[in-house]
Amino acid sequence: QKEVEQNSGPLSVPEGAIASLNCTYSDRGSQSFFWYRQYSGKSPELIMFIYSNGDKEDGRFTAQLNKASQYVSLLIRDSQPSDSATYLCAPRGSNYKLTFGKGTLLTVNP
Amino acid sequence: GAVVSQHPSRVICKSGTSVKIECRSLDFQATTMFWYRQFPKQSLMLMATSNEGSKATYEQGVEKDKFLINHASLTLSTLTVTSAHPEDSSFYICSARDFAGDTNTGELFFGEGSRLTVL
């Protein structure tokens, strides 16, 4: 089983819709979970992090964590064309190491 | 947020030469920095963990004699790709953790990345 699994997509949504990105992880010891956005040819930028079960909202973004199911998701409300990018899920392991999934390519169509 | 600067952003070199990439934390101290490599359409793969004042810890399958890492100060880590070959062409990205940062989150700050092309 891969350590971090994400649907590679592409996920295509119309402008204004909700985009739902999912991630499962295998390391039950993971405590913090990060969502990064990466535009083509650029380095990742942090969108959100979450470390408690439940939901965490920040503007148009909501992260959801279920440690029992080893599942973390990211919802993007009112999707904009500028949200088109690859979204990377990264659980934090020991010594603050991040293990990245392959990422989900999101395309928001105007 | 904290700033991590990486240099150079792009480098082209001939096969067999060595290339050094620098990663600096500009406004915080970083006892730990991480070096990642990303091939086209692939995810970021951790190469090594760089610890200030001690030897780097390499991930399985990464040749420590080929990818030399030096973390001589709390704000600078360098990655040297020795005797580079075309298969080393990739996007190299460093990240750093703020020594004084929130231990609950362990947020990492990423450099802009360095694109290496070996001819």
Side-chain angles (χ1 to χ4, degrees):
Chain A
Q1 181 187 3
K2 293 181 182 177
E3 292 187 60
V4 182
E5 295 210 43
Q6 294 182 253
N7 184 341
S8 61
L11 173 66
S12 184
V13 300
E15 184 174 354
I18 296 175
S20 178
L21 306 163
N22 304 315
C23 172
T24 58
Y25 60 94
S26 61
D27 183 3
R28 284 196 172 274
S30 299
Q31 293 299 313
S32 302
F33 303 85
F34 296 79
W35 281 100
Y36 284 87
R37 175 173 63 193
Q38 187 178 27
Y39 293 110
S40 181
K42 303 293 185 181
S43 69
E45 55 180 327
L46 182 66
I47 298 294
M48 287 192 69
F49 64 85
I50 185 169
Y51 53 83
S52 298
N53 277 325
D55 295 0
K56 179 182 178 183
E57 186 174 319
D58 184 0
R60 295 187 296 113
F61 301 94
T62 299
Q64 299 174 316
L65 174 61
N66 184 326
K67 291 184 180 179
S69 300
Q70 296 174 250
Y71 173 89
V72 58
S73 67
L74 179 69
L75 298 177
I76 306 175
R77 289 181 299 280
D78 189 24
S79 296
Q80 301 297 308
S82 59
D83 294 327
S84 298
T86 296
Y87 288 79
L88 303 168
C89 168
R92 193 202 91 187
S94 62
N95 197 25
Y96 300 96
K97 282 186 193 179
L98 294 185
T99 300
F100 286 88
K102 275 195 161 184
T104 298
L105 177 61
L106 172 66
T107 301
V108 181
N109 302 306
Chain B
V3 179
V4 174
S5 176
Q6 206 173 325
H7 178 81
S9 58
R10 289 180 182 274
V11 57
I12 300 172
C13 69
K14 293 182 179 180
S15 184
T17 61
S18 295
V19 174
K20 181 185 283 189
I21 301 170
E22 292 187 347
C23 179
R24 293 180 185 274
S25 56
L26 297 186
D27 50 2
F28 66 97
Q29 293 183 329
T31 53
T32 304
M33 291 186 175
F34 301 92
W35 286 95
Y36 290 86
R37 178 169 54 181
Q38 186 177 36
F39 292 107
K41 298 191 184 300
Q42 298 294 314
S43 186
L44 280 77
M45 296 301 297
L46 180 64
M47 299 176 66
T49 303
S50 170
N51 299 298
E52 187 267 337
S54 64
K55 291 184 179 181
T57 303
Y58 290 81
E59 296 298 303
Q60 192 172 9
V62 178
E63 299 176 59
K64 61 181 179 182
D65 294 330
K66 182 169 182 62
F67 299 100
L68 301 179
I69 291 173
N70 184 283
H71 193 155
S73 77
L74 286 172
T75 59
L76 174 64
S77 176
T78 61
L79 167 68
T80 301
V81 183
T82 62
S83 186
H85 288 92
E87 58 265 30
D88 298 322
S89 299
S90 188
F91 191 44
Y92 292 86
I93 311 172
C94 71
S95 67
R97 186 178 80 87
D98 186 349
F99 174 72
D102 185 351
T103 54
N104 280 328
T105 61
E107 181 182 355
L108 297 183
F109 302 96
F110 281 82
E112 309 96 324
S114 300
R115 188 164 302 282
L116 170 64
T117 302
V118 185
L119 303 177

